Amino acid sequence: MATLWSEQGALRRKPIEHIEEPEGAPSEQLTRTLGLWQLTAIGVGGIIGAGIFTLAGTVANGVAGPAVLVSFLIAGVASAAAAFSYAEFAGLIPKAGSAYTYGYAVLGELAGWFIGWDLLLEYTAIVAVVAIGISGYFNFLLAETGASLPTWMLGAPGTGEGHRFDLIAAVLCLFTAYLLNLGIKSAARFETVVVVLKVLVVLLVIVVGFFHINTDNYTPFFPYGLGGAFTGAATVFFAVFGYDAMSTAAEESKDAQKHMPRAIVYSLAIAMVLYVLACLVLTGMQNYTEIDPESGFSSAFKAVGLPVIADIIAVGAIIGILTVMFTFMLGVTRVWFSMSRDGLLPHWFAKTHRTRHVPTRVTWIVGAASAAIAGFVPIGEAAELTNIGILLAFAVVCTSVIVLRYRRPELPRTFRTPLMPFTPAVGVIASIWLITYLRVETWIRFVVWFLIGLVIYFGYSYRHSKLAAPGSGPDTTAGGAPRV
């Protein structure tokens, strides 16, 4: 028992030394092809989506009023605290896996395992939720043209009379898996083009909407009090991350130590500027009580006599939300790949395609799993799976950056989290605070998933971990190199 809970056991840490050395056989390695702006596009693609097209209107209408702007700023500050921590680790440990790898390297194998195990569920569920959301927009546009699909394929059981399966959502999940399996270079090129189109739509909303602002709509600015703005922040927080999933692609970056920290900071900064300007336009065009909580911007432009712009926004919403699917499916497949390469999950999953050098096995499994969730589970139930693991990952990364800064201050860091330890401490506090807003049902699902993970770790992962091999004790890597 003493060995189990020692640095030879469940607390053993993944080496940080020799971070540029390739891991595993050539069939278990990823190709470094992504540049700075491709990484930034993936980050922006993961952040800007449902938050700007749906959540802004929802929070403005019934939670914060015009102070939805403040809600996004509060959420942005909390998210930035975590983003700086991710940026420091991304420059220090340019390996696939993101929070899983960071936790493994600093807090030990068991902590890394549970973060990775949580993210497998959370990211897969996010892909499914986003697909369901796109399906709703798609069906709306079909109805606008007078076309319709058979009732049985319009939604999951319980979402409407005759609904049996959300076919559009399931197909979108499989299409995203297909796209990722083309190879990271081709997939990232597609993602970059789509993100540019999305940003152009958001800029169109901001520029055109600016000329239809009525400043009287900003009064009262805090109709629900300051508490409403804070409550809104807890809601929109889930629209201001995405860089965490992007950071899982560190091992596919041309110069990860230099580019990953910049891409994380740039993507969040770009997204926050667009969020703030869009909120100003939305609450200025319509009184907060009249904003449609489901399609805020479309209804606002229709209200001022611009139905064509409203339709463009609807199409832009579909395009914009699609990029979120790409980013989070990329994230879950790289976390799974990393855990398998480390021996914590069966090694079979760590194999990459012989020419495209992407983890095709894992990608198709995630595509099928997310398609099943999207097709058979109502969006509300699927959304409940997406919160707690990511917040815990944020807390772990922020804690780890403090621990490692004091444990190994001499390590070469291409980016250093400012105002240490205040900044990461804000990230930890914000994450724990937001966790308190989650429903009891979310905690029950988390505990069940946690227990399943506990059984798998001690039944398989603990014994099969690469760090359990001879010569890979607390002071050496599997190859005998010094360990952190």
Side-chain angles (χ1 to χ4, degrees), residues 145-180:
T145 63
S148 63
L149 295 174
T151 303
W152 67 268
M153 65 171 62
L154 294 179
T159 60
E161 186 175 353
H163 290 186
R164 295 291 180 268
F165 186 74
D166 194 328
L167 182 64
I168 300 298
V171 168
L172 285 170
C173 292
L174 295 175
F175 171 73
T176 305
Y178 165 77
L179 187 64
L180 283 169

Side-chain angles (χ1 to χ4, degrees), residues 163-413:
H163 290 186
R164 295 291 180 268
F165 186 74
D166 194 328
L167 182 64
I168 300 298
V171 168
L172 285 170
C173 292
L174 295 175
F175 171 73
T176 305
Y178 165 77
L179 187 64
L180 283 169
N181 273 317
L182 292 178
I184 190 62
K185 188 173 183 179
S186 298
R189 187 182 297 119
F190 173 85
E191 170 83 345
T192 301
V193 171
V194 175
V195 167
V196 169
L197 291 175
K198 172 169 63 174
V199 171
L200 289 175
V201 170
V202 176
L203 290 175
L204 174 68
V205 168
I206 293 169
V207 173
V208 176
F210 177 79
F211 294 100
H212 294 83
I213 288 177
N214 179 359
T215 55
D216 291 340
N217 289 327
Y218 293 135
T219 305
F221 193 76
F222 290 96
Y224 301 97
L226 189 59
F230 276 98
T231 301
T235 302
V236 303
F237 182 82
F238 304 109
V240 293
F241 61 77
Y243 54 80
D244 57 311
M246 179 267 286
S247 68
T248 64
E251 207 167 322
E252 291 158 284
S253 169
K254 292 178 182 177
D255 188 351
Q257 288 181 299
K258 179 180 178 181
H259 290 164
M260 285 301 300
R262 293 182 182 179
I264 290 172
V265 175
Y266 290 171
S267 59
L268 181 59
I270 291 170
M272 287 308 303
V273 169
L274 295 177
Y275 274 141
V276 168
L277 293 176
C279 286
L280 279 172
V281 167
L282 177 63
T283 54
M285 290 179 68
Q286 270 191 314
N287 185 276
Y288 72 93
T289 60
E290 300 172 356
I291 294 174
D292 188 329
E294 295 183 358
S295 56
F297 286 100
S298 292
S299 65
F301 277 92
K302 284 184 179 179
V304 297
L306 296 172
V308 175
I309 300 296
D311 291 338
I312 293 175
I313 293 170
V315 174
I318 294 176
I319 294 174
I321 299 175
L322 179 64
T323 64
V324 179
M325 292 182 62
F326 177 94
T327 299
F328 281 98
M329 188 175 289
L330 172 70
V332 66
T333 55
R334 272 42 178 184
V335 170
W336 193 338
F337 167 79
S338 297
M339 295 177 71
S340 302
R341 191 171 58 181
D342 291 337
L344 302 186
L345 289 173
H347 204 68
W348 184 84
F349 297 118
K351 298 297 181 182
T352 58
H353 192 275
R354 64 180 181 276
T355 58
R356 295 192 289 270
H357 303 290
V358 291
T360 52
R361 296 174 177 177
V362 167
T363 303
W364 280 121
I365 292 172
V366 170
S370 58
I373 295 173
F376 290 110
V377 180
I379 190 169
E381 295 181 19
E384 291 176 354
L385 302 174
T386 66
N387 302 332
I388 192 168
I390 293 171
L391 289 172
L392 287 174
F394 277 22
V396 166
V397 171
C398 291
T399 300
S400 297
V401 82
I402 297 174
V403 171
L404 192 61
R405 183 71 73 87
Y406 288 100
R407 179 188 289 163
R408 295 294 304 275
E410 82 287 355
L411 287 173
R413 292 168 169 85

Side-chain angles (χ1 to χ4, degrees), residues 9-47:
L11 300 183
R12 55 200 173 202
R13 299 192 301 273
K14 186 178 176 68
I16 294 180
E17 308 288 2
H18 309 291
I19 54 178
E20 288 298 329
E21 295 180 1
E23 291 189 30
S27 62
E28 301 167 14
Q29 295 175 19
L30 304 173
T31 303
R32 294 188 181 276
T33 61
L34 301 178
L36 172 61
W37 295 111
Q38 287 176 309
L39 290 168
T40 303
I42 293 173
V44 172
I47 299 172

Side-chain angles (χ1 to χ4, degrees), residues 36-82:
L36 172 61
W37 295 111
Q38 287 176 309
L39 290 168
T40 303
I42 293 173
V44 172
I47 299 172
I48 298 179
I52 203 165
F53 293 110
T54 303
L55 281 180
T58 301
V59 173
N61 178 265
V63 180
V68 64
L69 167 64
V70 178
S71 297
F72 271 101
L73 288 174
I74 294 171
V77 169
S79 184

